[in-house]
Amino acid sequence: MTPDRTPPRTQHFSADSIPAWQDATGHALVRYAPTGSPTTAVLHLIGEFDDDTMGCLHEAIGAVRSSQTERLLMDLTEVMFADAAFVHELAATHDLPGRLVLIGPLTSPVRRLLDITGTRGRFHIVFDQIAA
């Protein structure tokens, strides 16, 4: 990031009393999906996740994690673009206490990114389609 550029800020809001986080450009959105269990948190990711939009995901993860959180489920079915910053955030989250589960089917950009970076096997992915 160039020194003369201010990073975009994340906007936190509630839609129908459900928390959501969006980057200032509107390219990335993370919605919380209540499960009724204090031990499981679900985040639904929508849009494009790169270095400029990663703040909304980082803030969402921090907001939903608590000492009771045993599982963090991330629905990636609507992630249309992701880069190395996204993989870094997933890896950092994976290394936190509790279990990270990625929910597919993964979009081809996400699948390709995880394959190219050699990280796909590191994550527990459910409902993913097997590439033909």
Side-chain angles (χ1 to χ4, degrees), residues 10-15 17-22 29-32 43-44 56 60:
T10 298
Q11 301 168 1
H12 177 253
F13 61 94
S14 289
S17 301
I18 297 174
W21 298 261
Q22 186 170 35
L29 174 67
V30 180
R31 291 187 316 201
Y32 173 73
L43 294 176
H44 182 84
C56 66

Side-chain angles (χ1 to χ4, degrees), residues 20-48:
W21 298 261
Q22 186 170 35
D23 77 294
T25 66
H27 293 134
L29 174 67
V30 180
R31 291 187 316 201
Y32 173 73
T35 64
S37 169
T39 62
T40 302
V42 178
L43 294 176
H44 182 84
L45 285 61
I46 302 166
E48 302 174 1

Side-chain angles (χ1 to χ4, degrees), residues 18-101:
I18 297 174
W21 298 261
Q22 186 170 35
D23 77 294
T25 66
H27 293 134
L29 174 67
V30 180
R31 291 187 316 201
Y32 173 73
T35 64
S37 169
T39 62
T40 302
V42 178
L43 294 176
H44 182 84
L45 285 61
I46 302 166
E48 302 174 1
F49 292 85
D50 58 23
D51 193 46
D52 289 336
T53 63
M54 195 55 54
C56 66
L57 177 58
H58 184 77
E59 286 186 27
I61 291 167
V64 302
R65 291 188 54 80
S66 73
S67 60
Q68 294 179 316
T69 306
E70 295 175 7
R71 275 176 305 284
L72 175 56
L73 309 177
M74 283 192 198
D75 180 345
L76 305 182
T77 58
E78 294 188 66
V79 175
M80 297 300 120
F81 174 82
D83 70 2
F86 183 72
V87 174
H88 177 75
E89 189 69 32
L90 291 180
T93 303
H94 179 270
D95 292 341
L96 294 172
R99 181 168 188 160
L100 172 64
V101 178

Side-chain angles (χ1 to χ4, degrees), residues 42 73-77 101-106 124-128:
V42 178
L73 309 177
M74 283 192 198
D75 180 345
L76 305 182
T77 58
V101 178
L102 306 180
I103 301 172
L106 300 178
H124 182 79
I125 304 170
V126 296
F127 304 123
D128 192 23

